[in-house]
Structures are given as C-alpha cells and as structure tokens.
Amino acid sequence: MRESRLILALDVYDREKALEIAERTADYLWAIKVNWPLITGSGLKIITELKQVTGLPIIADLKLADIPNTNRMIASKVFEAGADYIIVHGFVGRDSVEAVMGLGKTIIVVEMSHPGAKEFIQPVVDKLIELANELKPFGVIAPATRPERVSYIRSKLQEGIKILTPGVGAQGGKAKNAVKAGADYVIVGRFIYGSDTPREAARGLYEEISEVV
Ligand code: NUP
C-alpha cells in the first residue's frame, strides 16, 4: 500500500468516539490531527492515547497565536503529551513562531480555508510565505477550498516545505484538486468522522488521492 497523504481531523468531543474512529480509519491515514474540540472535550491525554492506539503521528492544531512565552508554555505541554507536530499562526510574528519551533516540528498557517480568510490573511500571504521560507518549518497550511491559491503558495514556497490542505468535503474542496495543485497532505474532518462508515470514507479519499500522485 502506498504511503497515505490523508490526515484525519478528529473534531469530536468524546474520548471513546475519537478512539473508535481513529482505530477504524488508521489504515488509510498518514496522521491524525487533534484540535480544541477534542482537547477541551477529552483532555490533552487523548494525544497520548491516540498515539498508543494507532501508532500514527499526531498533529496538534492549536493555531497558537500568542506572545513567545505563552506559545512556548503551551507547546511544551503539547509535545510532552506526545504530539509530533504543532500548528501555529504566522501573523503574530517571527518571535512567536520561533518560540515553538525550538521545541518541535511546526506547521505555519499561511492561508486558511474559510471565506473569511480573504479579509485579513490572504492579503499578507506573501509575507507569511517569506516567513516560512526563512524559518523552514515542517510545513504550511493552505486552503483546499482554493486550489489556485495552493498552486500560488507552492510556486513561492521553498522546496521541501510541505503543504497541508484542509477544506475538503464539508467545506467544498476536492482532495484530487488540492493534490494536483501541489498539496502534500489533505486534511479531512466531517466527511470522515461524520460518515456512517468512516473507514469507507477514509478509504475512498485515500484511493482518490492515490489516483493523482
Ligand atoms: O484553514 C484552515 N481550515 C481548517 O478547516 C485551517 C485548519 N486548521 N482547519 C481545520 O481543519 C479545522 O479547524 C478542522 O479541524 C479541519 C477541517 O475540518 P472539516 O471541515 O473537514 O470538518
């Protein structure tokens, strides 16, 4: 089986439900992304449990956007819990991002997938790409809802920095189009965890992506 490029966004509150969906879908995933809904619902220890149950890398999508000291304090607990990657906002400035990068593998948001991203984030995307090119994080977040923006970001981003794209399924984006535009990984939540058959939903996406890579 080809290495997966699919990341499950496990945005449920409930611990048991999260573990069950993770176990069912793990075969088709590259990683599992946890966000505030699951952390506020089940506690930080869910990161450790998900790792134990699936053996997959865990991405903590906290979109940290604070001063360096606070970012560092939060990130150190999250890495201690077993997270392999953490997502941070770039717009707060280089020092806040660097504080996190010193602790573990980091993913910087350069453009978000929702319509509101056009208001404040899209206009500064070039600066955020520049920041990423200088700091060389593991990856950046770009919108699967706007494949043309993924292509643009890919054209400006240094080789080797991965592009992770949320916005497939519930937000209207297509996995195939995001990958064709240059995404290395596709992040999918509701389309998988909201399905009656999450394993089948994950398998379908895995196969769709495999057709274009
Ligand atoms: O720009 C972003 N868009 C986005 O949807 C950055 C994100 N991190 N996300 C997250 O990806 C969002 O918070 C959710 O966890 C996931 C997408 O979920 P869904 O729309 O596939 O259900």
Side-chain angles (χ1 to χ4, degrees):
M1 193 164 138
R2 191 194 289 267
E3 198 195 16
S4 179
R5 289 163 173 251
L6 180 62
I7 298 168
L8 170 63
L10 197 45
D11 297 330
V12 297
Y13 293 121
D14 185 66
R15 171 185 171 272
E16 313 248 300
K17 190 172 179 191
L19 292 171
E20 189 192 328
I21 295 168
E23 264 191 292
R24 283 203 198 158
T25 55
D27 287 345
Y28 299 108
L29 306 178
W30 173 69
I32 295 175
K33 185 177 80 60
V34 303
N35 198 339
W36 289 108
L38 184 56
I39 291 175
T40 51
S42 302
L44 203 53
K45 65 179 187 310
I46 191 70
I47 291 179
T48 323
E49 286 187 291
L50 283 168
K51 264 182 90 89
Q52 279 165 357
V53 166
T54 64
L56 294 174
I58 306 293
I59 301 170
D61 183 6
L62 304 183
K63 292 186 201 70
L64 294 179
D66 217 312
I67 61 167
N69 186 60
T70 310
N71 268 4
R72 191 183 303 112
M73 286 179 75
I74 299 169
S76 69
K77 285 289 179 198
V78 170
F79 283 126
E80 218 175 275
D84 298 279
Y85 302 86
I86 196 163
I87 301 181
V88 302
H89 267 302
F91 70 81
V92 274
R94 169 193 310 270
D95 52 354
S96 293
V97 177
E98 276 177 332
V100 173
M101 287 189 69
L103 300 172
K105 286 180 268 188
T106 302
I107 297 159
I108 301 175
V109 178
V110 299
E111 184 169 327
M112 294 186 73
S113 58
H114 62 313
K118 289 185 186 165
E119 283 180 74
F120 303 114
I121 295 190
Q122 206 183 76
V124 295
V125 77
D126 286 342
K127 287 188 168 176
L128 292 169
I129 294 169
E130 213 174 285
L131 180 71
N133 284 340
E134 282 169 26
L135 297 182
K136 305 187 199 322
F138 169 79
V140 300
I141 296 287
T145 45
R146 292 178 222 105
E148 73 286 358
R149 300 294 298 164
V150 177
S151 304
Y152 176 78
I153 292 164
R154 181 76 280 169
S155 75
K156 301 268 169 179
L157 195 67
Q158 257 174 39
E159 228 179 284
I161 301 176
K162 308 284 188 200
I163 297 183
L164 297 82
T165 55
V168 164
Q171 295 180 55
K174 294 259 174 293
K176 225 185 216 179
N177 296 347
V179 172
K180 277 196 213 154
D184 296 285
Y185 298 101
V186 175
I187 298 172
V188 185
R190 286 165 285 180
F191 184 82
I192 298 174
Y193 70 74
S195 158
D196 290 336
T197 52
R199 184 176 170 84
E200 290 314 302
R203 185 162 64 100
L205 286 162
Y206 170 86
E207 283 168 2
E208 180 185 330
I209 295 166
S210 297
E211 280 171 26
V212 290
V213 292

